[in-house]
Amino acid sequence: MIIKPQIMRGGLVKNPHPIGLKNVVSKYIDYTKSKGQFTGKKRALIIGGSSGYGLASRIALAYGANADTINVSFENGVTDKRLGSAGWWNNIWFEHFAKQDGLIATDIIGDAFSDEIKQQTIEAIKREFGGKIDVLIYSLASPKRKDPKTGIVHSSVLKSTTGEVAAPTLDLAKERIVDGKMLEATKDDIDETIKVMGGEDWQLWVEALQEADLLAEGFKSTAYSYDGAKATDLIYKKGTIGAAKRHLEKTAHELNDALKNIQGEAFVTVAKALVTKASAFIPLFPLYGCALFKVMKEEGTHENTIEQIERFMRDMMYGDKRIVDEVGRVRPDNLEMNPATQQKVDAIMEIMDNDNFKGISDFAGFYQDFLEINGFNVEGVDYDKSIDVEYLSSLALNA
Ligand code: NAI
């Protein structure tokens, strides 16, 4: 079978390329290895570690902290109709490389919001890690959450809290800017989004692990957030997603207090805007990304996902170069937020249209990253070569 990229509505790709993804995971691992260790051996739990920031965290910890890892993610394996999601292959290949390198790597596939998966994870920590973890990375991006207590399914929405706003975005399949708007959120929309993307589930995880006495002395936990500046404020900071992130921040303070007795800590990490499955879906965000990449690459400050997270882990999670803002959030997005950088980004955003966006922004780089997270256009892969579906289907997690 030969696979070519088939971009569907909403920026999803039908069949990600398994071999391309193997090379991407391997490239991320090589990058981390090239930087050397940043701390001693850790036992890490990653919630949402199959793609984006969670995958980068898993790799950075495994190869920069010699960490054994358990990852909880929601991904589809191979079926008659589909070849498996990108995150599925990232898990397969991460396990493959980590085990080759003598690390424990366990994957739990299922709904991280559920009590069952929390219980399964607790069992895995007892079985695989001798009953303690040193670090929990919370990196979920999900449109829905079933509340384990009530059974009610909550849906997050991308709406504005300041009235209807224009939100043009990129149609990646057609390579065009398309008009769009963000509708005004109701109180219910805001509450629903907070239920899904706020801090409640992170808190439930930490409480469940603490109750089971699985947190080691000095335990650390972080959840990722985005803040952004003028260009994205109306759709992000002042959107329903921003309201959920404020809730996440409030949760961080509560968790931080609850962890003091074990000299532990919890904080929100504000990360840079990058191309992931989740971010490609947020209106305006891809256009902002194209402008931002252009400016940051010209300045020499651009980082991809693994570069951003490796620096965060080395300097700020475990190092002594932590940048903390006035509300206690850790800020590896410092280079993106540089006022001079933002000024240049604003200038591009102001004049960007369908006739000029490929020239004045880094559309090519953004599009390349989008293809890459789906396993396409990756160096060293022969895309005209048929892939062995039977062999790939036989690969299993936790084998
Ligand atoms: P992503 O889409 O690449 O990854 C999401 C992860 O969540 C995947 O591992 C997926 O399997 C997992 N997941 C989703 N629903 C699940 C469920 N019910 N049970 C178990 N696993 C589930 O997303 P991305 O962009 O890496 O987002 C992670 C976090 O980083 C989010 O909180 C996001 O707001 C934040 N962030 C993202 C930025 C970006 O530019 N992409 C910038 C700053 C923060």
Side-chain angles (χ1 to χ4, degrees):
M1 180 178 182
I2 289 174
I3 321 171
K4 300 283 172 194
Q6 255 183 289
I7 305 175
M8 304 185 298
R9 271 189 66 217
L12 291 172
V13 167
K14 190 171 177 195
N15 276 323
H17 200 288
I19 306 304
L21 291 165
K22 182 178 186 180
N23 283 25
V24 174
V25 171
S26 161
K27 190 169 77 168
Y28 276 25
I29 290 175
D30 286 348
Y31 174 79
T32 313
K33 280 182 177 169
S34 77
K35 303 298 273 186
Q37 299 273 301
F38 51 74
T39 188
K41 182 150 184 87
K42 299 283 176 272
R43 295 154 294 184
L45 170 61
I46 296 100
I47 313 293
S50 60
S51 66
Y53 274 124
L55 173 67
S57 305
R58 189 180 198 189
I59 292 174
L61 285 164
Y63 287 90
N66 205 18
D68 294 326
T69 58
I70 296 173
N71 167 41
V72 179
S73 61
F74 199 71
E75 301 293 345
N76 300 311
V78 185
T79 64
D80 293 346
K81 293 202 178 85
R82 295 273 171 94
L83 250 187
S85 56
W88 173 267
W89 293 111
N90 291 337
N91 287 343
I92 290 275
W93 302 126
F94 176 83
E95 272 197 19
H96 166 83
F97 291 119
K99 285 176 180 164
Q100 237 174 29
D101 292 324
L103 297 167
I104 296 173
T106 297
D107 276 281
I108 295 172
I109 298 292
D111 181 9
F113 297 128
S114 70
D115 288 342
E116 294 76 20
I117 289 295
K118 289 188 176 68
Q119 200 46 48
Q120 265 188 45
T121 308
I122 286 171
E123 296 310 320
I125 293 170
K126 291 181 181 162
R127 191 178 64 239
E128 310 282 343
F129 287 179
K132 292 283 177 199
I133 60 166
D134 303 294
V135 50
L136 164 67
I137 305 294
Y138 190 84
S139 188
L140 283 191
S142 172
K144 285 196 184 329
R145 170 173 172 235
K146 183 174 179 182
D147 185 318
K149 293 196 177 63
T150 61
I152 295 171
V153 177
H154 299 278
S155 298
S156 73
V157 290
L158 291 165
K159 287 193 183 174
S160 153
T161 62
T162 52
E164 191 174 297
V165 291
T169 197
L170 254 187
D171 180 331
L172 285 161
K174 297 200 178 104
E175 298 186 25
R176 282 190 67 75
I177 299 176
V178 285
D179 283 338
K181 57 187 175 187
M182 237 186 191
L183 301 176
E184 180 167 15
T186 61
K187 162 109 183 34
D188 192 47
D189 289 329
I190 299 171
D191 291 346
E192 283 282 294
T193 308
I194 290 174
K195 261 294 203 190
V196 181
M197 289 297 287
E200 193 174 272
D201 182 61
W202 182 25
Q203 183 150 22
L204 289 175
W205 270 103
V206 175
E207 283 171 2
L209 297 167
Q210 202 164 24
E211 252 164 57
D213 194 23
L214 302 183
L215 305 183
E217 280 283 305
F219 166 81
K220 290 178 191 292
S221 185
T222 196
Y224 292 120
S225 181
Y226 182 69
D227 202 39
K230 192 178 140 209
T232 54
D233 267 4
L234 285 177
I235 54 115
Y236 205 99
K237 203 186 279 176
K238 295 179 181 153
T240 44
I241 182 72
K245 294 298 188 187
R246 297 299 83 75
H247 185 271
L248 195 70
E249 287 155 20
K250 190 168 115 324
T251 308
H253 293 297
E254 288 168 23
L255 291 178
N256 197 44
D257 287 343
L259 292 170
K260 289 218 164 93
N261 61 334
I262 54 164
Q263 280 72 55
E265 60 169 350
F267 54 87
V268 160
T269 298
V270 184
K272 173 184 192 266
L274 280 167
V275 187
T276 64
K277 194 166 88 184
S279 71
F281 194 71
I282 300 176
L284 199 76
F285 214 70
L287 290 180
Y288 170 74
C290 291
L292 179 74
F293 288 12
K294 172 82 174 178
V295 174
M296 293 188 81
K297 283 180 187 175
E298 274 172 9
E299 286 176 339
T301 54
H302 181 73
E303 291 169 316
N304 67 15
T305 323
I306 191 65
E307 289 165 340
Q308 162 84 160
I309 292 301
E310 198 279 337
R311 178 170 67 90
F312 155 65
M313 296 276 180
R314 169 183 300 279
D315 287 356
M316 303 190 199
M317 185 100 178
Y318 291 102
D320 57 5
K321 294 188 201 141
R322 192 176 280 187
I323 302 171
V324 184
D325 67 16
E326 63 293 349
V327 291
R329 299 173 302 184
V330 174
R331 304 297 301 255
D333 67 334
N334 58 319
L335 302 173
E336 172 183 353
M337 287 304 116
N338 180 335
T341 305
Q342 284 299 321
Q343 231 172 32
K344 288 184 223 160
V345 172
D346 287 345
I348 294 177
M349 297 283 287
E350 260 163 40
I351 56 164
M352 206 184 218
D353 62 26
N354 258 320
D355 294 327
N356 65 17
F357 79 99
K358 287 190 180 172
I360 63 167
S361 79
D362 187 28
F363 169 75
F366 187 92
Y367 192 59
Q368 167 62 26
D369 287 359
F370 174 75
L371 290 175
E372 200 169 292
I373 61 168
N374 290 292
F376 294 102
N377 241 14
V378 179
E379 231 183 288
V381 180
D382 179 357
Y383 289 97
D384 293 323
K385 194 172 157 198
S386 182
I387 60 159
D388 186 345
V389 177
E390 204 178 319
Y391 159 72
L392 289 164
S393 309
S394 74
L395 298 176
L397 291 169
N398 307 315

